[in-house]
Amino acid sequence: MSGPLNILYVSSEVVPFVKTGGLADVSEALPRALRAQVHDVRVALPCYGTIPEALKGERSGPCSARVNGDTRFAAWRTSKLPDSDIPVYLIEHDQYFWRDHPYGAGNMEYPDNLERFCFFCLAVLDFIPQTGWVPDVIHCHDWHTAPIPAYIKTRFVDHPFWGGIPTVFTIHNLAYQGRFASSLLPKTGLGWELFSPKYLEFYGDINLMKGGVIFASKLNTVSKTYAKEIQTDLAGNGLEGVLRTRATDLIGIQNGVDLGVWNPVTDRRIAATYSADDLAGKTACKPALQKLAQLPVREVPVYGVVSRLVWDKGIPLLVSTLEQMLKEDIQLILLGSGDASFEGALRKTAQAFPDKLSVTIGYDEDLAHQIYAGCDFYLMPSRTEPCGLSQMYSMLYGTVPIVHHTGGLADTVTDATAKNLSNDTATGFAFRTWTDRAFLNAFKRAQRTYREAETLAKLRRNGMRQDFSWSSSAKQYVQLFREAMAAP
Ligand code: ADP
Ligand code: GLC
């Protein structure tokens, strides 16, 4: 079959409805890119209490799911991705989803997350047949929707609507697997026969991600390098063996960037717009950001960070090298939230360096755009990085990234070696060993470059000219969907 596909895209986060990280950006951009290639893509997500009323759409009908011997009822609503004809279906169940956060308060995951997301997945499988629309493929993302492939291949295997529908499972981050105590298994609505090492069992617990890996028709991760890394103990997080058994069904598809949202030429959130051909606007964004960050407006190299403050993002490296970096005449502007210990350490250093370090703990989409635009350099020392969007955003905004050479960072940032500079491919600074020393060396290289106007201009220009558009990745997804449909 070569015509347009009906794609059911099920995700726990979608911009502008709800976002905690890159999954939400991708879940807005990829459906748009698929739609642009004339596929009929429809998105489903939980109707969290935090979603603005104006986006929640109309209540369309009831749906239910049977878990733990109990039938629970919900409603499904129909909305749209703004400025598109892409339906977004929301599962409304206030007891599960009317909360301040999608997954938990602070660092504490909600204790009923297994039940919440299994209910969500089952409710989606319950209401879709009512719409009269039949998907050719279901596209699931991370552990929250990983139960769907398991349901399709077990409980729904003979279902008149769902039986035989292929699933594609995208791993955005293997560090979060949806691991729960075995006693909760009845809440999944799956049988105990699946609680074995061959299926969902993982060191005595239930592992939903593992179920997605085992039961999906096809799998992918969000960059080519990470697809290889997760089959080793470098990034497999214990699932490397299982992933190797599915190696022939697993590929890497690089995330793109939604240029409708992340584009310095049109971005209304930044102080002045600009393009690769005319950086005057960027020159104006820098002092505007310094003011906003309450730092002195001075001509110094400004470094930025917008990140979840967790170990994997390399925050330990940042915390331990910060004071050494701040010995130099620089400014560093950080926006993030996450582990309380990192938040505390960063706040404390900011108090000691009030003229050099600005730390904003929290989540602020506007400030994030202004940091990507107003800084000279962007720091992303992630221990592992499935893809990473921030380094791509910073490049497109002419802000030169300094990254650990891993996962998607390795695939998207080309180190400023003499050779890469001379053939115009260099876009940033990449360090190979995940140590304070290597990170500081990359920082020092950036510092030197700041004083070499031509080299800096070249790096900016090369970064801004990268093609991170979604169209080629969307085509690769369609190919994967077709392979899933052809799979036995
Ligand atoms: P991850 O999904 O692992 O957090 P990505 O680089 O793929 O990493 O995506 C992170 C996304 O979340 C980017 O859009 C980034 O700008 C955004 N982001 C992260 N932290 C914050 C924050 N504190 N405030 C605003 N945006 C943030
Ligand atoms: C995850 C990963 C990040 C990736 C994002 C979107 O959150 O940590 O690297 O860019 O998903 O795929």
Side-chain angles (χ1 to χ4, degrees):
M1 180 179 161
S2 62
L5 299 179
N6 286 354
I7 303 155
L8 176 60
Y9 190 108
V10 193
S11 176
S12 61
E13 298 186 21
V14 181
V15 164
F17 297 83
V18 56
K19 168 171 171 179
T20 72
L23 170 62
D25 290 359
V26 170
S27 297
E28 182 256 357
L30 176 55
R32 284 189 198 275
L34 291 165
R35 184 73 195 110
Q37 295 173 13
V38 305
H39 301 287
D40 186 349
V41 54
R42 304 190 182 196
V43 179
L45 97 150
C47 190
Y48 303 108
T50 51
I51 295 176
E53 275 313 309
L55 287 175
K56 283 186 181 163
E58 299 293 318
R59 197 169 283 163
S60 305
C63 57
S64 65
R66 196 169 165 75
V67 284
N68 215 10
D70 239 15
T71 301
R72 305 230 161 168
F73 294 91
W76 59 283
R77 306 181 68 101
T78 310
S79 180
K80 268 196 316 189
L81 268 189
D83 305 318
S84 82
D85 62 354
I86 302 170
V88 176
Y89 299 120
L90 298 125
I91 299 293
E92 186 176 39
H93 186 292
D94 287 352
Q95 195 194 327
Y96 286 141
F97 302 123
W98 193 270
R99 303 188 188 177
D100 292 339
H101 193 274
Y103 314 122
N107 293 324
M108 293 296 289
E109 299 272 296
Y110 295 129
D112 58 349
N113 273 349
L114 174 89
E115 187 175 333
R116 295 171 74 226
F117 286 100
C118 286
F119 176 83
F120 167 62
C121 293
L122 285 167
V124 170
L125 297 180
D126 186 60
F127 89 84
I128 285 287
Q130 297 178 39
T131 63
W133 175 79
V134 185
D136 295 310
V137 61
I138 314 176
H139 189 186
C140 304
H141 302 264
D142 276 353
W143 69 262
H144 321 92
T145 54
I148 289 181
Y151 292 136
I152 296 286
K153 286 275 177 70
T154 60
R155 188 169 150 174
F156 288 75
V157 73
D158 293 319
H159 191 279
F161 187 92
W162 292 112
I165 300 254
T167 54
V168 167
F169 182 52
T170 300
I171 297 169
H172 292 263
N173 197 334
L174 208 62
Y176 305 92
Q177 299 184 356
R179 206 171 149 171
F180 300 93
S182 59
S183 58
L184 298 175
L185 191 87
K187 298 199 185 284
T188 63
L190 293 165
W192 282 104
E193 68 283 1
L194 294 186
F195 192 68
S196 89
K198 213 174 147 197
Y199 302 114
L200 300 181
E201 194 263 350
F202 184 75
Y203 297 101
D205 287 338
I206 303 163
N207 186 323
L208 294 183
M209 186 74 116
K210 184 178 173 191
V213 169
I214 286 171
F215 287 110
S217 317
K218 292 283 172 185
L219 306 166
N220 80 292
T221 65
V222 287
S223 71
K224 289 198 168 36
T225 296
Y226 190 65
K228 289 188 204 127
E229 289 173 348
I230 59 171
Q231 297 180 54
T232 72
D233 57 9
L234 179 72
N237 288 282
L239 288 183
E240 53 274 16
V242 182
L243 284 157
R244 280 199 298 269
T245 67
R246 300 235 40 205
T248 54
D249 293 315
L250 167 65
I251 61 165
I253 303 179
Q254 174 73 51
N255 283 336
V257 169
D258 184 340
L259 299 173
V261 180
W262 299 99
N263 185 349
V265 178
T266 51
D267 194 336
R268 295 220 180 128
R269 292 170 147 132
I270 59 180
T273 54
Y274 55 94
S275 69
D277 298 326
D278 180 4
L279 287 172
K282 183 161 178 74
T283 313
C285 285
K286 183 167 168 175
L289 174 66
Q290 288 172 316
K291 268 190 215 142
L292 194 67
Q294 297 183 328
L295 292 173
V297 176
R298 295 183 49 225
E299 189 35 62
V300 288
V302 177
Y303 291 74
V305 178
V306 179
S307 183
R308 294 184 290 115
L309 300 176
V310 298
W311 197 86
D312 267 349
K313 288 284 174 193
I315 307 303
L317 232 57
L318 186 68
V319 167
S320 60
T321 54
L322 204 48
E323 294 205 6
Q324 266 169 287
M325 291 194 221
L326 293 171
K327 280 187 189 146
E328 305 271 328
D329 191 14
I330 66 158
Q331 293 177 353
L332 199 156
I333 299 172
L334 177 142
L335 165 65
S337 63
D339 291 354
S341 62
F342 293 139
E343 291 182 355
L346 290 164
R347 275 199 175 112
K348 204 167 143 211
T349 315
Q351 278 161 10
F353 295 88
D355 285 350
K356 290 186 161 187
L357 175 61
S358 158
V359 169
T360 305
I361 300 297
Y363 192 90
D364 185 335
E365 200 69 33
D366 286 344
L367 180 56
H369 282 247
Q370 292 173 81
I371 290 177
Y372 294 122
C375 290
D376 298 297
F377 299 102
Y378 186 81
L379 299 171
M380 199 154 172
S382 309
R383 173 75 184 96
T384 55
E385 192 61 72
C387 177
L389 298 170
S390 299
Q391 83 283 8
M392 295 196 269
Y393 298 157
S394 65
M395 281 185 264
L396 293 177
Y397 282 75
T399 297
V400 180
I402 297 164
V403 303
H404 179 216
H405 186 84
T406 185
L409 299 176
D411 294 353
T412 53
V413 177
T414 307
D415 191 30
T417 58
K419 186 175 160 214
N420 293 337
L421 279 167
S422 73
N423 64 19
D424 255 350
T425 53
T427 54
F429 300 93
F431 59 97
R432 288 189 178 253
T433 50
W434 195 66
T435 58
D436 289 1
R437 204 165 141 220
F439 183 35
L440 277 174
N441 273 338
F443 165 75
K444 284 179 193 150
R445 289 169 64 206
Q447 282 288 91
R448 276 197 299 276
T449 303
Y450 188 75
R451 294 187 286 269
E452 297 163 12
E454 249 178 62
T455 312
L456 183 61
K458 187 178 248 195
L459 285 173
R460 285 201 162 128
R461 205 170 46 235
N462 291 348
M464 292 183 84
R465 295 205 169 132
Q466 294 297 302
D467 178 6
F468 292 131
S469 63
W470 262 104
S471 59
S472 109
S473 297
K475 284 193 187 121
Q476 293 173 57
Y477 272 104
V478 171
Q479 174 64 22
L480 192 63
F481 297 151
R482 293 196 198 282
E483 285 170 21
M485 288 161 64

